[in-house]
PDB file of all heavy atoms in Angstrom:
ATOM      1  N   ILE A 581     -15.923 -13.583  12.149  1.00  0.00           N
ATOM      2  CA  ILE A 581     -16.890 -14.182  11.235  1.00  0.00           C
ATOM      3  C   ILE A 581     -17.718 -15.199  12.021  1.00  0.00           C
ATOM      4  O   ILE A 581     -17.369 -16.386  12.077  1.00  0.00           O
ATOM      5  CB  ILE A 581     -16.155 -14.892  10.073  1.00  0.00           C
ATOM      6  CG1 ILE A 581     -15.180 -13.922   9.393  1.00  0.00           C
ATOM      7  CG2 ILE A 581     -17.144 -15.457   9.062  1.00  0.00           C
ATOM      8  CD1 ILE A 581     -14.169 -14.594   8.513  1.00  0.00           C
ATOM      9  N   PRO A 582     -18.804 -14.754  12.669  1.00  0.00           N
ATOM     10  CA  PRO A 582     -19.623 -15.729  13.404  1.00  0.00           C
ATOM     11  C   PRO A 582     -20.073 -16.854  12.467  1.00  0.00           C
ATOM     12  O   PRO A 582     -20.469 -16.580  11.330  1.00  0.00           O
ATOM     13  CB  PRO A 582     -20.816 -14.893  13.887  1.00  0.00           C
ATOM     14  CG  PRO A 582     -20.306 -13.483  13.911  1.00  0.00           C
ATOM     15  CD  PRO A 582     -19.339 -13.389  12.777  1.00  0.00           C
ATOM     16  N   PRO A 583     -19.970 -18.111  12.927  1.00  0.00           N
ATOM     17  CA  PRO A 583     -20.254 -19.235  12.029  1.00  0.00           C
ATOM     18  C   PRO A 583     -21.740 -19.394  11.684  1.00  0.00           C
ATOM     19  O   PRO A 583     -22.075 -19.908  10.628  1.00  0.00           O
ATOM     20  CB  PRO A 583     -19.748 -20.455  12.814  1.00  0.00           C
ATOM     21  CG  PRO A 583     -19.700 -20.018  14.235  1.00  0.00           C
ATOM     22  CD  PRO A 583     -19.470 -18.546  14.233  1.00  0.00           C
ATOM     23  N   CYS A 584     -22.608 -18.923  12.558  1.00  0.00           N
ATOM     24  CA  CYS A 584     -24.047 -19.155  12.365  1.00  0.00           C
ATOM     25  C   CYS A 584     -24.661 -18.033  11.523  1.00  0.00           C
ATOM     26  O   CYS A 584     -24.514 -16.860  11.854  1.00  0.00           O
ATOM     27  CB  CYS A 584     -24.696 -19.235  13.737  1.00  0.00           C
ATOM     28  SG  CYS A 584     -26.414 -19.685  13.638  1.00  0.00           S
ATOM     29  N   SER A 585     -25.356 -18.401  10.458  1.00  0.00           N
ATOM     30  CA  SER A 585     -25.888 -17.369   9.550  1.00  0.00           C
ATOM     31  C   SER A 585     -26.923 -16.464  10.229  1.00  0.00           C
ATOM     32  O   SER A 585     -27.119 -15.331   9.821  1.00  0.00           O
ATOM     33  CB  SER A 585     -26.484 -18.012   8.299  1.00  0.00           C
ATOM     34  OG  SER A 585     -27.666 -18.694   8.629  1.00  0.00           O
ATOM     35  N   SER A 586     -27.553 -16.970  11.289  1.00  0.00           N
ATOM     36  CA  SER A 586     -28.562 -16.144  11.971  1.00  0.00           C
ATOM     37  C   SER A 586     -27.941 -15.031  12.816  1.00  0.00           C
ATOM     38  O   SER A 586     -28.647 -14.200  13.380  1.00  0.00           O
ATOM     39  CB  SER A 586     -29.454 -17.025  12.855  1.00  0.00           C
ATOM     40  OG  SER A 586     -28.664 -17.697  13.806  1.00  0.00           O
ATOM     41  N   ASN A 587     -26.597 -14.984  12.872  1.00  0.00           N
ATOM     42  CA  ASN A 587     -25.898 -13.926  13.612  1.00  0.00           C
ATOM     43  C   ASN A 587     -25.569 -12.705  12.756  1.00  0.00           C
ATOM     44  O   ASN A 587     -24.673 -11.936  13.084  1.00  0.00           O
ATOM     45  CB  ASN A 587     -24.593 -14.455  14.216  1.00  0.00           C
ATOM     46  CG  ASN A 587     -24.833 -15.376  15.392  1.00  0.00           C
ATOM     47  OD1 ASN A 587     -24.586 -16.563  15.291  1.00  0.00           O
ATOM     48  ND2 ASN A 587     -25.326 -14.855  16.492  1.00  0.00           N
ATOM     49  N   TYR A 588     -26.294 -12.548  11.647  1.00  0.00           N
ATOM     50  CA  TYR A 588     -26.000 -11.447  10.722  1.00  0.00           C
ATOM     51  C   TYR A 588     -27.249 -10.605  10.434  1.00  0.00           C
ATOM     52  O   TYR A 588     -27.374 -10.038   9.365  1.00  0.00           O
ATOM     53  CB  TYR A 588     -25.430 -11.998   9.409  1.00  0.00           C
ATOM     54  CG  TYR A 588     -24.052 -12.612   9.557  1.00  0.00           C
ATOM     55  CD1 TYR A 588     -23.896 -13.910  10.048  1.00  0.00           C
ATOM     56  CD2 TYR A 588     -22.900 -11.907   9.223  1.00  0.00           C
ATOM     57  CE1 TYR A 588     -22.635 -14.485  10.188  1.00  0.00           C
ATOM     58  CE2 TYR A 588     -21.636 -12.467   9.355  1.00  0.00           C
ATOM     59  CZ  TYR A 588     -21.510 -13.755   9.844  1.00  0.00           C
ATOM     60  OH  TYR A 588     -20.259 -14.316   9.986  1.00  0.00           O
ATOM     61  N   THR A 589     -28.160 -10.528  11.404  1.00  0.00           N
ATOM     62  CA  THR A 589     -29.366  -9.729  11.179  1.00  0.00           C
ATOM     63  C   THR A 589     -29.046  -8.239  11.274  1.00  0.00           C
ATOM     64  O   THR A 589     -27.969  -7.846  11.756  1.00  0.00           O
ATOM     65  CB  THR A 589     -30.454 -10.039  12.223  1.00  0.00           C
ATOM     66  OG1 THR A 589     -30.022  -9.510  13.495  1.00  0.00           O
ATOM     67  CG2 THR A 589     -30.724 -11.528  12.351  1.00  0.00           C
ATOM     68  N   CYS A 590     -30.002  -7.426  10.851  1.00  0.00           N
ATOM     69  CA  CYS A 590     -29.830  -5.969  10.944  1.00  0.00           C
ATOM     70  C   CYS A 590     -29.583  -5.530  12.391  1.00  0.00           C
ATOM     71  O   CYS A 590     -28.880  -4.550  12.629  1.00  0.00           O
ATOM     72  CB  CYS A 590     -31.040  -5.254  10.361  1.00  0.00           C
ATOM     73  SG  CYS A 590     -32.632  -5.763  11.029  1.00  0.00           S
ATOM     74  N   PHE A 591     -30.125  -6.271  13.355  1.00  0.00           N
ATOM     75  CA  PHE A 591     -29.919  -5.900  14.767  1.00  0.00           C
ATOM     76  C   PHE A 591     -28.494  -6.185  15.228  1.00  0.00           C
ATOM     77  O   PHE A 591     -27.916  -5.415  15.989  1.00  0.00           O
ATOM     78  CB  PHE A 591     -30.932  -6.611  15.671  1.00  0.00           C
ATOM     79  CG  PHE A 591     -32.341  -6.156  15.441  1.00  0.00           C
ATOM     80  CD1 PHE A 591     -33.319  -7.045  15.033  1.00  0.00           C
ATOM     81  CD2 PHE A 591     -32.690  -4.820  15.595  1.00  0.00           C
ATOM     82  CE1 PHE A 591     -34.619  -6.617  14.794  1.00  0.00           C
ATOM     83  CE2 PHE A 591     -33.988  -4.384  15.358  1.00  0.00           C
ATOM     84  CZ  PHE A 591     -34.952  -5.287  14.953  1.00  0.00           C
ATOM     85  N   HIS A 592     -27.922  -7.305  14.758  1.00  0.00           N
ATOM     86  CA  HIS A 592     -26.517  -7.588  15.071  1.00  0.00           C
ATOM     87  C   HIS A 592     -25.626  -6.491  14.488  1.00  0.00           C
ATOM     88  O   HIS A 592     -24.721  -5.987  15.151  1.00  0.00           O
ATOM     89  CB  HIS A 592     -26.077  -8.935  14.475  1.00  0.00           C
ATOM     90  CG  HIS A 592     -26.688 -10.119  15.142  1.00  0.00           C
ATOM     91  ND1 HIS A 592     -27.870 -10.693  14.709  1.00  0.00           N
ATOM     92  CD2 HIS A 592     -26.287 -10.851  16.214  1.00  0.00           C
ATOM     93  CE1 HIS A 592     -28.158 -11.727  15.488  1.00  0.00           C
ATOM     94  NE2 HIS A 592     -27.220 -11.843  16.407  1.00  0.00           N
TER      95      HIS A 592
END
Side-chain angles (χ1 to χ4, degrees):
I581 306 164
C584 186
S585 70
S586 59
N587 287 111
Y588 292 80
T589 70
C590 53
F591 293 120
H592 290 92

